[in-house]
Amino acid sequence: MLTTTITLAAAEEPSRGWGGPIALGLVLAVYIAGATLHDWWMRTRGVPSPTEGDAPGVSVNAQVSAVSDTDDTDRDTGWWGRLVTLPDGRRARTNVPATAIADEELDLDLDAAEDEEETIEDVIDRLDFRGVPYVEIVATVMGQFRVSESTAKRRIRDARAARAGEEDG
C-alpha cells in the first residue's frame, strides 16, 4: 500500500518544463542588446563612458564665470527686506527702516567693545551673576581658556573672594 501511494504521488508531481530558463535567457538577451545599443548610441554622439580615460589629476574647466551681484538695482525691496550699501561698500539686506539706518544718534561704537577680550574673572562674574551652577562655570572656564580643572576652580575661588572683598569694603 505504501509503495502505491508513493508511486501515485510521484506520478502526480507536475513535470518542470523549459519555460523558466527560456524566459531568463530572453531577458538576458534583451538586456545585452539594450546595453550594446546604448553604448553604440553614446559613442556616435561623442559622449564616452565616464570610466574611459579618467586619469588622476585631470581637471575640469569651470563653465561659469564670477559675476558680481551688485548690479541688480531693479529689485531693492521685496519680501525679505531691502538692500542697503554699508559704509565699507558691501551690500546687505535689512528690514530696518531707512530712517533708523541713516540716523546718526543711533550709530553706536561697537568696535571698542569688540577689541577688549573677556578675562577669566569677567567670565566667572558674568556666569555667577546669572546663577549658572558651579560645575558649568568650571566647564566653561576650562573650555574657553584651556586651563586645567584645578586652575579653573582656583580662579573661581579667587574671583569670588575678590568680589566678596569689594562688597565688604
Side-chain angles (χ1 to χ4, degrees):
M1 176 93 173
L2 183 60
T3 56
T4 310
T5 309
I6 294 175
T7 310
L8 287 175
E12 290 179 8
E13 182 180 322
S15 62
R16 296 185 180 255
W18 287 95
I22 290 173
L24 287 174
L26 285 175
V27 168
L28 185 62
V30 168
Y31 177 77
I32 291 172
T36 305
L37 283 173
H38 180 263
D39 185 52
W40 171 79
W41 178 263
M42 296 300 280
R43 288 182 190 277
T44 58
R45 298 286 177 232
V47 185
S49 172
T51 57
E52 290 179 10
D54 279 349
V58 175
S59 64
V60 177
N61 293 336
Q63 298 295 315
V64 296
S65 59
V67 178
S68 174
D69 66 337
T70 58
D71 297 335
D72 59 336
T73 57
D74 296 337
R75 296 185 53 204
D76 277 349
T77 59
W79 285 95
W80 307 109
R82 60 186 184 81
L83 293 174
V84 294
T85 303
L86 299 175
D88 59 357
R90 293 181 299 139
R91 292 181 61 166
R93 191 166 295 277
T94 180
N95 287 330
V96 180
T99 56
I101 292 177
D103 194 359
E104 295 294 328
E105 294 177 12
L106 294 177
D107 204 11
L108 302 174
D109 184 22
L110 299 176
D111 293 334
E114 291 176 2
D115 292 340
E116 299 174 10
E117 289 191 27
E118 203 172 24
T119 64
I120 291 180
E121 287 77 16
D122 294 338
V123 171
I124 293 169
D125 290 342
R126 179 174 43 87
L127 295 176
D128 246 350
F129 180 73
R130 289 184 188 169
V132 175
Y134 179 77
V135 176
E136 290 182 24
I137 296 173
V138 171
T140 303
V141 170
M142 287 174 58
Q144 189 171 351
F145 296 99
R146 298 181 186 203
V147 295
S148 67
E149 183 178 357
S150 60
T151 302
K153 289 179 178 180
R154 184 177 64 247
R155 297 298 288 268
I156 293 170
R157 278 195 310 270
D158 295 344
R160 286 181 174 176
R163 191 174 47 234
E166 289 174 3
E167 292 173 1
D168 292 340

